[in-house]
Amino acid sequence: MTVSGMEGVRLVELWRGEILESLHCGHVVVCGPDGEIEEAWGNPEQVILPRSSAKMLQALPLVESGAAARAGLGAQHLALACASHEGTARHAGLVADWLRDQGMGPEDLRCGAQSPWDRAERNKMICTDAALSPLHNNCSGKHAGFLTLSQHLGAGADYIDMAHPVQVAALAAHEEVTGEISPGFGIDGCAAPNHATTLHGLARAMSRYATASGRSDARSRAQTALTEAMMAHPDLVAGDGRPCTELMRATSEPVAIKFGADGVFIAILPAQGRGVAIKISDGATRAVDCVIAAVLVRLGVLDPEHPAARRFLTGPIRNRRGDAVARLKPVRDLIGAANFTKI
């Protein structure tokens, strides 16, 4: 199948009544235990910014260096280091406690203040006229991890600078685990560098996390710890109602999945040794949510009749009266096998 640039191939349709209203194109790569491509749709060599789907790569030096153990971090902390959380009182409180235990505070975070995604916490802050805090930033756990690593390394306060030892370590981990020299980077919404890779590189990295428990070296132990933390605490990785959390709760075997802004999703399937990377070309969240659910169904870990699967696979989309007026639809062969390109 010929693919031109970022456009990719048709993955998701939106039907309003009997009319095809819109469609979303993109790329999907599934790597096996050896890191090689088993299946792909679109262009496996498309270069993307993985955004928050790469947080377990950015958190790798925190664990591998011994900083996490020295700071007494547990599975909840590691899950938050990989999280794009809702900013609930619990999320913010856990990050606040983490920083306090290390002799730091929210003023040390470089991620910027953010209104909580969680409605209850946001309304509470509005009603009490509370100031926005970086603790509620969906990336505050990742940044707490950066701070902990910086403290361990005896490095300076500006841990998001590309020349800072924390970011030097993050780039090295990214390139080593993806198996690629990153062609460049962008600055993420939380102000940290985000390194580009191909879809194949990102899926290969996830397969290395998926197979890490079979190896005993320090890196593999760190990868296993991060994956297991995500699977043990799906509520901390995102939050109630979010696809990361709801789909991890719904799978028939433990799976770690992680959303990234602008239409990215990854999956780590330890029982199968597989890694998955997805990019929706137009960045649509509704489309990438649909595709990750479809791929999990395809790989046999998600029942398509499970309420969470149905929610993200098909919707429905409702109008302001609550009527079901439109539906998402993964292209027919995304769950089936007929047109999935064999590499």
Side-chain angles (χ1 to χ4, degrees):
M1 184 178 295
T2 301
V3 179
S4 175
M6 177 61 84
E7 292 85 356
V9 295
R10 182 180 297 202
L11 294 176
V12 178
E13 302 168 347
L14 188 143
W15 289 79
R16 192 170 296 268
E18 299 305 313
I19 304 297
L20 175 61
E21 184 172 40
S22 59
L23 59 90
H24 303 282
C25 299
H27 313 269
V28 181
V29 177
V30 180
C31 280
D34 58 0
E36 297 301 315
I37 299 173
E38 290 187 342
E39 299 175 310
W41 220 348
N43 179 11
E45 303 312 314
Q46 178 62 51
V47 174
I48 68 162
L49 291 167
R51 304 295 296 276
S52 287
S53 76
K55 282 181 176 173
M56 71 290 299
L57 300 180
Q58 294 170 305
L60 188 55
L62 168 68
V63 184
E64 186 179 17
S65 68
R70 181 180 179 185
L73 302 187
Q76 288 188 334
H77 300 99
L78 300 188
L80 283 168
C82 299
S84 298
H85 63 70
E86 287 284 277
T88 65
R90 180 170 181 243
H91 291 122
L94 286 169
V95 176
D97 291 345
W98 176 355
L99 293 173
R100 186 193 63 246
D101 290 346
Q102 305 308 314
M104 296 180 284
E107 67 278 3
D108 295 303
L109 295 170
R110 296 286 192 267
C111 54
Q114 178 182 345
S115 178
W117 285 346
D118 178 68
R119 180 178 297 180
E121 185 67 10
R122 183 171 64 249
N123 289 346
K124 177 183 175 183
M125 292 183 71
I126 292 170
C127 292
T128 60
D129 199 27
L132 295 180
S133 168
L135 293 171
H136 295 98
N137 188 302
N138 73 96
C139 297
S140 65
K142 177 179 81 172
H143 282 251
F146 285 158
L147 276 169
T148 302
L149 176 58
S150 183
Q151 187 179 68
H152 177 74
L153 297 174
D158 196 14
Y159 62 83
I160 58 173
D161 186 273
M162 272 293 294
H164 192 280
V166 165
Q167 297 307 326
V168 171
L171 174 58
H174 173 96
E175 292 185 333
E176 290 163 11
V177 180
T178 61
E180 299 176 352
I181 299 300
S182 177
F185 69 95
I187 301 301
D188 217 329
C190 67
N194 192 256
H195 299 288
T197 184
T198 66
L199 267 293
H200 183 192
L202 187 57
R204 176 166 48 221
M206 297 309 123
S207 74
R208 289 176 175 171
Y209 276 72
T211 57
S213 64
R215 303 186 294 270
S216 60
D217 59 286
R219 169 155 294 173
S220 297
R221 292 197 303 272
Q223 290 170 327
T224 298
L226 290 164
T227 303
E228 290 181 348
M230 293 175 68
M231 295 188 300
H233 298 285
D235 56 317
L236 297 182
V237 173
D240 290 342
R242 295 269 301 284
C244 293
T245 298
E246 298 305 322
L247 291 174
M248 279 196 279
R249 288 170 171 168
T251 54
S252 59
E253 63 187 50
V255 172
I257 67 172
K258 183 69 187 68
F259 168 82
D262 277 277
V264 186
F265 237 120
I266 62 86
I268 301 168
L269 291 81
Q272 300 182 14
R274 287 190 169 108
V276 176
I278 300 165
K279 169 66 178 179
I280 298 298
S281 300
D282 65 7
T285 297
R286 71 185 184 191
V288 78
D289 293 350
C290 179
V291 174
I292 186 61
V295 171
L296 293 174
V297 169
R298 175 180 178 77
L299 296 177
V301 298
L302 180 65
D303 181 349
E305 297 304 315
H306 190 285
R310 292 182 64 84
R311 174 188 167 197
F312 296 112
L313 279 172
T314 61
I317 295 170
R318 299 183 182 276
N319 65 14
R320 288 174 177 80
R321 297 190 341 152
D323 306 321
V325 295
R327 68 189 186 280
L328 289 172
K329 180 182 178 184
V331 296
R332 179 176 56 85
D333 297 313
L334 186 56
I335 295 178
N339 290 339
F340 219 79
T341 306
K342 295 289 183 179
I343 302 296

